[in-house]
Amino acid sequence: MLRLVFWQHIMSMIDLPYIINCASNPSVKEVVIVGKSVSAARKNMGWDIDFPNMDKCTTIIDPTTKDIQEILKKDLADSIHLFTGLSAFPHVFRAFKMSLDFNVKRAIISERPLTYAAGVDWIKPLWLHKIKFLLQNGTYIKAIDYVFEIGEDTSHYYRNLSSKWKVFPFAYCTRSNFEPSPQTKPEEMQFCYVGSLCKRKNVITLLKAAKWLNRNGYDGRYKINLVGNGQDKPMLKKFTEKNKLGNVTFLGVINNKELPQFLVSQDVFVLPSIHDGWGAVLNEALQAGLYTLSSDRCGGKEMLSKTWLGNVFEMGNYKQLAYRMKDAIDACEDIRSEQDKRRLWAEQSISGIVVATYLVECLSGHNINAPWR
């Protein structure tokens, strides 16, 4: 039986659902979660890590050097250590380096390297990241046994780094606590965006699509609700006012605990990002049953392989997004009728228990398809 040790930056809401469910898998005898404490700022945002069955896992917060050594030397033969954010978080990398003194198996869980900078994606191309990795971390290649790649754009990068690694598709995972909305929805189709109002999230493309729709006879048939805050908010509000987009509402920040109730009241979720390694809010939208539109620069777009789940548009192409939105508005009744169908798909494809089962099967040497693809 396996002993799984997850080395995390913090106790993360987009990892805990599958990590905790690993503890209930009959092939797993122990799950250990190691990370830093959650900041007060995140707690105020509703960053809730009080998950059901958390007591089935061993959690170690802010470990000392002695703690790390004790974790690493225990049960060597059956332990697999999984490191998330190896390059991003020094304390995770430190634990990885300390693990080299022990004969254990190691896995990394990672998005593709950040290619985004100064408002432009691919300004730091993958070949440059590859050279950097080989120069800085090439000596560690032989120490890694498994790679769980988040987002299909990641696969070529990791597969080209080492043919020795066993590479598997992977996904973020969010809590399944979305109940159907008892409220009668308004006649207008409800579009929404949830996240930071920053340049990388590219919300201006959504507003440009709204401008096109309003000028082509769709004003009055839909509304857009924007949740979040950020440096681009003044510019976005100015654009909205200038173009008389009266059907766009800025709702500010919604506490994470209240987000499920908001999402189930909506119809369509839009994520127009210039770059998103995955975009876990796509999971939340699908779990709420929303028809989902994603830019082609979000790793999570791979979940939208079925037409009734959503669609993908070219990043920055506001007219293509407008046509996707137009098609949704025209099919409003059908999209609303399939909300439960999308919720069921999410439960069967991206829920904590499903992703946990997939992870354990991969580590056990079984050939299994990613359930969300």
Side-chain angles (χ1 to χ4, degrees):
M1 295 178 70
L2 299 175
R3 173 178 177 261
L4 303 181
V5 183
F6 293 89
W7 299 89
Q8 298 267 294
H9 169 44
I10 57 172
M11 302 287 112
S12 171
M13 291 174 63
I14 59 177
D15 292 311
L16 284 177
Y18 73 81
I19 292 175
I20 292 171
N21 276 285
C22 285
S24 301
N25 192 289
S27 298
V28 176
K29 60 182 176 182
E30 184 183 15
V31 170
V32 182
I33 314 171
V34 191
K36 288 194 169 186
S37 54
V38 178
S39 68
R42 287 186 182 274
K43 289 180 180 178
N44 290 336
M45 290 169 59
W47 193 275
D48 182 12
I49 59 168
D50 184 20
F51 281 70
N53 300 318
M54 190 83 166
D55 58 336
K56 292 184 178 181
C57 304
T58 301
T59 57
I60 300 170
I61 308 298
D62 299 325
T64 64
T65 298
K66 184 178 179 181
D67 291 333
I68 296 173
Q69 290 173 335
E70 292 296 321
I71 295 165
L72 290 168
K73 73 181 185 182
K74 180 182 176 182
D75 209 354
L76 296 176
D78 294 331
S79 293
I80 301 178
H81 293 260
L82 300 98
F83 300 87
T84 301
L86 189 63
S87 300
F89 307 114
H91 59 284
V92 176
F93 187 56
R94 175 171 174 256
F96 173 82
K97 287 199 295 183
M98 290 178 64
S99 79
L100 300 178
D101 293 332
F102 300 87
N103 185 23
V104 295
K105 290 183 177 178
R106 301 170 193 83
I108 59 174
I109 301 174
S110 182
E111 302 175 4
R112 67 174 167 89
L114 184 62
T115 55
Y116 173 87
V120 181
D121 200 10
W122 298 111
I123 197 169
K124 298 187 289 185
L126 288 179
W127 63 263
L128 194 60
H129 283 280
K130 181 178 180 180
I131 292 173
K132 180 182 177 182
F133 181 92
L134 293 173
L135 289 174
Q136 294 183 349
N137 303 315
T139 55
Y140 303 127
I141 285 179
K142 292 181 180 180
I144 298 170
D145 301 283
Y146 312 95
V147 175
F148 290 89
E149 54 184 24
I150 296 175
E152 61 184 354
D153 296 337
T154 311
S155 61
H156 298 301
Y157 175 75
Y158 284 110
R159 293 176 195 274
N160 289 336
L161 277 175
S162 175
S163 59
K164 169 188 174 293
W165 294 342
K166 296 176 182 176
V167 182
F168 305 100
F170 205 57
Y172 287 124
C173 185
T174 52
R175 190 199 298 243
S176 303
N177 59 343
F178 296 87
E179 296 297 329
S181 175
Q183 300 176 350
T184 301
K185 291 189 176 181
E187 184 177 348
E188 305 96 331
M189 176 161 259
Q190 303 295 302
F191 290 83
C192 69
Y193 164 83
V194 177
S196 174
L197 301 181
C198 64
K199 190 172 183 63
R200 182 172 62 85
K201 294 295 185 175
N202 197 32
V203 178
I204 189 64
T205 296
L206 176 55
L207 297 186
K208 288 179 179 179
K211 176 183 175 181
W212 186 93
L213 285 168
N214 287 6
R215 291 186 174 182
N216 285 272
Y218 280 79
D219 189 12
R221 295 184 60 186
Y222 75 100
K223 289 185 177 180
I224 296 177
N225 299 301
L226 303 178
V227 175
N229 218 332
Q231 61 187 24
D232 274 10
K233 186 172 182 178
M235 178 272 290
L236 296 171
K237 293 194 79 169
K238 184 176 180 180
F239 181 92
T240 301
E241 293 163 2
K242 179 181 178 181
N243 292 283
K244 297 181 174 57
L245 303 180
N247 53 347
V248 175
T249 303
F250 290 81
L251 297 176
V253 176
I254 292 180
N255 189 289
N256 273 293
K257 293 180 180 179
E258 300 168 1
L259 186 59
Q261 183 179 358
F262 166 75
L263 285 174
V264 296
S265 71
Q266 303 295 292
D267 297 307
V268 181
F269 181 83
V270 184
L271 187 61
S273 304
I274 295 173
H275 171 96
D276 250 314
W278 181 261
V281 69
L282 293 172
N283 294 58
E284 294 176 304
L286 289 166
Q287 286 174 314
L290 304 193
Y291 186 80
T292 302
L293 299 174
S294 169
S295 89
D296 59 359
R297 301 295 178 86
C298 302
K301 67 180 182 293
E302 66 183 68
M303 294 186 289
L304 306 178
S305 59
K306 298 176 176 63
T307 56
W308 48 270
L309 288 172
N311 211 330
V312 178
F313 60 92
E314 180 186 8
M315 186 278 296
N317 189 336
Y318 75 87
K319 189 169 287 188
Q320 188 178 77
L321 172 58
Y323 274 100
R324 299 278 193 269
M325 294 171 69
K326 169 184 173 296
D327 290 342
I329 296 167
D330 290 339
C332 181
E333 188 175 331
D334 291 337
I335 284 176
R336 287 180 171 176
S337 70
E338 292 178 329
Q339 187 165 8
D340 287 341
K341 183 179 179 180
R342 286 185 288 273
R343 283 165 44 83
L344 179 61
W345 175 89
E347 193 63 32
Q348 296 174 342
S349 304
I350 55 174
S351 63
I353 185 66
V354 171
V355 176
T357 300
Y358 168 76
L359 174 70
V360 174
E361 290 289 299
C362 290
L363 293 173
S364 300
H366 299 144
N367 186 15
I368 181 172
N369 294 325
W372 55 89
R373 285 189 168 181

